[in-house]
Amino acid sequence: MKSLIKIAIVTGFLVLCVGALGGCGKNRVKSPNETTAPAKVSVSTENEIETTKASSTAAQSTVISDSENETKESLKELGFIYNGKTITLLDFTDDQKMEAILGKAEDTKTHTYSSSDGLNMDQLTGKTEKQYLYSGLVIKTIDAGENNKSYIYQIEITGSQYTTVRNVKVGDSFETLKEAYPEGNLIGGELSNEEDDFRFEEEDYANVMNFHIKNKKVASIQIYSLID
């Protein structure tokens, strides 16, 4: 009988110990080293993310590059050719470059615009214009306001030795002009024996090539950029 009592007491004690250990296990606070680590991104996934970013950046660069190229291509139309070299509206230039392409100018003139010069060109106040005069050609440049650079903003052609990019020159017939520049328009709407102007311009109307027509022939060519 005493043996049975002892066995019951021991068994009860063991049950209590197991229960206590189980409770401790549930309530135990995890040590910092046992904190669940964040899921790692696989190397392949990281590469995919970087590739996507690179592709997006490349696409944006391509759009910018294409836009710049389109602008440059359109401006190539607004220029002339002399001795196999092309001079285009808005080209940056200086005395050395002009002489290298066209030779030494017969004369040069400079003028710094002011509000009191009587020319009513307030938008150019403070800027200096320079004119290069050649036989049958006048090129005007204006300073860009940075790094002492100047760019071509007006070209006036009266000599037949200078041809446009589409091979039209002073003295050509109006029919030849229309074939070369089908996008152009007569300012007067209809050509008569009187003088008229035939205009070819960019979509934004800021850069223009104007052919002055007299006796149904090209009398002069003016290429210019509107300056705000």
Side-chain angles (χ1 to χ4, degrees), residues 16-36:
L16 289 173
C17 288
V18 171
L21 288 174
C24 290
K26 289 180 181 178
N27 296 325
R28 184 172 62 89
V29 178
K30 293 182 180 179
S31 68
N33 292 334
E34 293 176 333
T35 302
T36 303

PDB file of all heavy atoms in Angstrom, residues 16-36:
ATOM      1  N   LEU A  16       3.640  17.599 -13.055  1.00  0.00           N
ATOM      2  CA  LEU A  16       3.751  19.032 -12.773  1.00  0.00           C
ATOM      3  C   LEU A  16       5.008  19.638 -13.400  1.00  0.00           C
ATOM      4  O   LEU A  16       4.989  20.743 -13.954  1.00  0.00           O
ATOM      5  CB  LEU A  16       3.754  19.271 -11.253  1.00  0.00           C
ATOM      6  CG  LEU A  16       2.419  19.037 -10.545  1.00  0.00           C
ATOM      7  CD1 LEU A  16       2.622  19.143  -9.020  1.00  0.00           C
ATOM      8  CD2 LEU A  16       1.379  20.044 -11.001  1.00  0.00           C
ATOM      9  N   CYS A  17       6.113  18.880 -13.333  1.00  0.00           N
ATOM     10  CA  CYS A  17       7.384  19.390 -13.914  1.00  0.00           C
ATOM     11  C   CYS A  17       7.284  19.548 -15.417  1.00  0.00           C
ATOM     12  O   CYS A  17       7.736  20.537 -15.989  1.00  0.00           O
ATOM     13  CB  CYS A  17       8.523  18.429 -13.550  1.00  0.00           C
ATOM     14  SG  CYS A  17       8.998  18.515 -11.821  1.00  0.00           S
ATOM     15  N   VAL A  18       6.697  18.545 -16.083  1.00  0.00           N
ATOM     16  CA  VAL A  18       6.554  18.623 -17.561  1.00  0.00           C
ATOM     17  C   VAL A  18       5.701  19.812 -17.951  1.00  0.00           C
ATOM     18  O   VAL A  18       5.980  20.551 -18.895  1.00  0.00           O
ATOM     19  CB  VAL A  18       5.940  17.303 -18.086  1.00  0.00           C
ATOM     20  CG1 VAL A  18       5.583  17.453 -19.565  1.00  0.00           C
ATOM     21  CG2 VAL A  18       6.928  16.174 -17.904  1.00  0.00           C
ATOM     22  N   GLY A  19       4.599  20.058 -17.224  1.00  0.00           N
ATOM     23  CA  GLY A  19       3.715  21.200 -17.523  1.00  0.00           C
ATOM     24  C   GLY A  19       4.431  22.521 -17.355  1.00  0.00           C
ATOM     25  O   GLY A  19       4.279  23.449 -18.144  1.00  0.00           O
ATOM     26  N   ALA A  20       5.210  22.636 -16.294  1.00  0.00           N
ATOM     27  CA  ALA A  20       5.936  23.883 -16.032  1.00  0.00           C
ATOM     28  C   ALA A  20       6.947  24.164 -17.120  1.00  0.00           C
ATOM     29  O   ALA A  20       7.112  25.287 -17.599  1.00  0.00           O
ATOM     30  CB  ALA A  20       6.627  23.806 -14.664  1.00  0.00           C
ATOM     31  N   LEU A  21       7.669  23.114 -17.553  1.00  0.00           N
ATOM     32  CA  LEU A  21       8.670  23.291 -18.628  1.00  0.00           C
ATOM     33  C   LEU A  21       8.010  23.711 -19.933  1.00  0.00           C
ATOM     34  O   LEU A  21       8.530  24.525 -20.688  1.00  0.00           O
ATOM     35  CB  LEU A  21       9.435  21.970 -18.820  1.00  0.00           C
ATOM     36  CG  LEU A  21      10.425  21.615 -17.698  1.00  0.00           C
ATOM     37  CD1 LEU A  21      11.006  20.217 -17.933  1.00  0.00           C
ATOM     38  CD2 LEU A  21      11.553  22.632 -17.622  1.00  0.00           C
ATOM     39  N   GLY A  22       6.830  23.140 -20.211  1.00  0.00           N
ATOM     40  CA  GLY A  22       6.099  23.508 -21.443  1.00  0.00           C
ATOM     41  C   GLY A  22       5.714  24.971 -21.424  1.00  0.00           C
ATOM     42  O   GLY A  22       5.816  25.678 -22.416  1.00  0.00           O
ATOM     43  N   GLY A  23       5.242  25.478 -20.250  1.00  0.00           N
ATOM     44  CA  GLY A  23       4.857  26.886 -20.153  1.00  0.00           C
ATOM     45  C   GLY A  23       6.042  27.797 -20.324  1.00  0.00           C
ATOM     46  O   GLY A  23       5.975  28.846 -20.960  1.00  0.00           O
ATOM     47  N   CYS A  24       7.168  27.416 -19.772  1.00  0.00           N
ATOM     48  CA  CYS A  24       8.379  28.243 -19.935  1.00  0.00           C
ATOM     49  C   CYS A  24       8.791  28.343 -21.382  1.00  0.00           C
ATOM     50  O   CYS A  24       9.232  29.370 -21.870  1.00  0.00           O
ATOM     51  CB  CYS A  24       9.524  27.641 -19.098  1.00  0.00           C
ATOM     52  SG  CYS A  24       9.262  27.821 -17.327  1.00  0.00           S
ATOM     53  N   GLY A  25       8.621  27.188 -22.084  1.00  0.00           N
ATOM     54  CA  GLY A  25       9.006  27.188 -23.512  1.00  0.00           C
ATOM     55  C   GLY A  25       8.152  28.140 -24.303  1.00  0.00           C
ATOM     56  O   GLY A  25       8.620  28.823 -25.207  1.00  0.00           O
ATOM     57  N   LYS A  26       6.859  28.243 -23.980  1.00  0.00           N
ATOM     58  CA  LYS A  26       5.957  29.118 -24.750  1.00  0.00           C
ATOM     59  C   LYS A  26       6.240  30.583 -24.469  1.00  0.00           C
ATOM     60  O   LYS A  26       6.163  31.420 -25.349  1.00  0.00           O
ATOM     61  CB  LYS A  26       4.508  28.812 -24.390  1.00  0.00           C
ATOM     62  CG  LYS A  26       4.038  27.479 -24.930  1.00  0.00           C
ATOM     63  CD  LYS A  26       2.586  27.234 -24.539  1.00  0.00           C
ATOM     64  CE  LYS A  26       2.113  25.893 -25.063  1.00  0.00           C
ATOM     65  NZ  LYS A  26       0.716  25.621 -24.656  1.00  0.00           N
ATOM     66  N   ASN A  27       6.531  30.927 -23.235  1.00  0.00           N
ATOM     67  CA  ASN A  27       6.683  32.330 -22.846  1.00  0.00           C
ATOM     68  C   ASN A  27       8.110  32.845 -22.999  1.00  0.00           C
ATOM     69  O   ASN A  27       8.384  34.011 -22.746  1.00  0.00           O
ATOM     70  CB  ASN A  27       6.242  32.530 -21.387  1.00  0.00           C
ATOM     71  CG  ASN A  27       4.764  32.221 -21.222  1.00  0.00           C
ATOM     72  OD1 ASN A  27       3.978  32.494 -22.126  1.00  0.00           O
ATOM     73  ND2 ASN A  27       4.399  31.656 -20.083  1.00  0.00           N
ATOM     74  N   ARG A  28       9.034  31.981 -23.392  1.00  0.00           N
ATOM     75  CA  ARG A  28      10.439  32.400 -23.492  1.00  0.00           C
ATOM     76  C   ARG A  28      10.604  33.455 -24.565  1.00  0.00           C
ATOM     77  O   ARG A  28      10.110  33.314 -25.676  1.00  0.00           O
ATOM     78  CB  ARG A  28      11.319  31.185 -23.824  1.00  0.00           C
ATOM     79  CG  ARG A  28      12.816  31.530 -23.836  1.00  0.00           C
ATOM     80  CD  ARG A  28      13.652  30.271 -23.981  1.00  0.00           C
ATOM     81  NE  ARG A  28      13.381  29.604 -25.243  1.00  0.00           N
ATOM     82  CZ  ARG A  28      14.045  29.869 -26.364  1.00  0.00           C
ATOM     83  NH1 ARG A  28      14.971  30.806 -26.368  1.00  0.00           N
ATOM     84  NH2 ARG A  28      13.769  29.220 -27.474  1.00  0.00           N
ATOM     85  N   VAL A  29      11.297  34.571 -24.250  1.00  0.00           N
ATOM     86  CA  VAL A  29      11.582  35.642 -25.217  1.00  0.00           C
ATOM     87  C   VAL A  29      12.770  35.241 -26.052  1.00  0.00           C
ATOM     88  O   VAL A  29      13.794  34.831 -25.537  1.00  0.00           O
ATOM     89  CB  VAL A  29      11.886  36.967 -24.479  1.00  0.00           C
ATOM     90  CG1 VAL A  29      12.222  38.062 -25.488  1.00  0.00           C
ATOM     91  CG2 VAL A  29      10.700  37.370 -23.620  1.00  0.00           C
ATOM     92  N   LYS A  30      12.625  35.401 -27.373  1.00  0.00           N
ATOM     93  CA  LYS A  30      13.713  35.028 -28.272  1.00  0.00           C
ATOM     94  C   LYS A  30      14.871  35.996 -28.105  1.00  0.00           C
ATOM     95  O   LYS A  30      14.686  37.189 -27.944  1.00  0.00           O
ATOM     96  CB  LYS A  30      13.240  35.060 -29.722  1.00  0.00           C
ATOM     97  CG  LYS A  30      12.216  33.982 -30.031  1.00  0.00           C
ATOM     98  CD  LYS A  30      11.826  34.044 -31.480  1.00  0.00           C
ATOM     99  CE  LYS A  30      10.805  32.962 -31.813  1.00  0.00           C
ATOM    100  NZ  LYS A  30      10.402  33.031 -33.227  1.00  0.00           N
ATOM    101  N   SER A  31      16.066  35.469 -28.169  1.00  0.00           N
ATOM    102  CA  SER A  31      17.262  36.309 -28.091  1.00  0.00           C
ATOM    103  C   SER A  31      17.439  37.039 -29.405  1.00  0.00           C
ATOM    104  O   SER A  31      16.896  36.643 -30.423  1.00  0.00           O
ATOM    105  CB  SER A  31      18.482  35.429 -27.811  1.00  0.00           C
ATOM    106  OG  SER A  31      18.743  34.604 -28.927  1.00  0.00           O
ATOM    107  N   PRO A  32      18.208  38.155 -29.407  1.00  0.00           N
ATOM    108  CA  PRO A  32      18.412  38.908 -30.650  1.00  0.00           C
ATOM    109  C   PRO A  32      18.934  38.052 -31.777  1.00  0.00           C
ATOM    110  O   PRO A  32      18.614  38.259 -32.933  1.00  0.00           O
ATOM    111  CB  PRO A  32      19.431  39.984 -30.236  1.00  0.00           C
ATOM    112  CG  PRO A  32      19.220  40.164 -28.773  1.00  0.00           C
ATOM    113  CD  PRO A  32      18.847  38.803 -28.258  1.00  0.00           C
ATOM    114  N   ASN A  33      19.789  37.099 -31.479  1.00  0.00           N
ATOM    115  CA  ASN A  33      20.352  36.240 -32.523  1.00  0.00           C
ATOM    116  C   ASN A  33      19.322  35.340 -33.146  1.00  0.00           C
ATOM    117  O   ASN A  33      19.520  34.804 -34.233  1.00  0.00           O
ATOM    118  CB  ASN A  33      21.484  35.387 -31.938  1.00  0.00           C
ATOM    119  CG  ASN A  33      22.678  36.237 -31.552  1.00  0.00           C
ATOM    120  OD1 ASN A  33      22.879  37.307 -32.123  1.00  0.00           O
ATOM    121  ND2 ASN A  33      23.464  35.772 -30.572  1.00  0.00           N
ATOM    122  N   GLU A  34      18.183  35.131 -32.412  1.00  0.00           N
ATOM    123  CA  GLU A  34      17.161  34.225 -32.917  1.00  0.00           C
ATOM    124  C   GLU A  34      16.028  34.967 -33.628  1.00  0.00           C
ATOM    125  O   GLU A  34      15.077  34.362 -34.058  1.00  0.00           O
ATOM    126  CB  GLU A  34      16.569  33.411 -31.744  1.00  0.00           C
ATOM    127  CG  GLU A  34      17.568  32.459 -31.118  1.00  0.00           C
ATOM    128  CD  GLU A  34      16.977  31.746 -29.915  1.00  0.00           C
ATOM    129  OE1 GLU A  34      16.068  32.313 -29.275  1.00  0.00           O
ATOM    130  OE2 GLU A  34      17.408  30.632 -29.632  1.00  0.00           O
ATOM    131  N   THR A  35      16.149  36.331 -33.762  1.00  0.00           N
ATOM    132  CA  THR A  35      15.104  37.105 -34.427  1.00  0.00           C
ATOM    133  C   THR A  35      14.995  36.689 -35.883  1.00  0.00           C
ATOM    134  O   THR A  35      15.998  36.475 -36.554  1.00  0.00           O
ATOM    135  CB  THR A  35      15.434  38.609 -34.362  1.00  0.00           C
ATOM    136  OG1 THR A  35      15.572  38.978 -33.004  1.00  0.00           O
ATOM    137  CG2 THR A  35      14.325  39.424 -35.016  1.00  0.00           C
ATOM    138  N   THR A  36      13.764  36.587 -36.351  1.00  0.00           N
ATOM    139  CA  THR A  36      13.542  36.131 -37.731  1.00  0.00           C
ATOM    140  C   THR A  36      14.179  37.094 -38.716  1.00  0.00           C
ATOM    141  O   THR A  36      13.922  38.295 -38.704  1.00  0.00           O
ATOM    142  CB  THR A  36      12.043  36.046 -38.029  1.00  0.00           C
ATOM    143  OG1 THR A  36      11.445  35.171 -37.066  1.00  0.00           O
ATOM    144  CG2 THR A  36      11.809  35.523 -39.443  1.00  0.00           C
TER     145      THR A  36
END
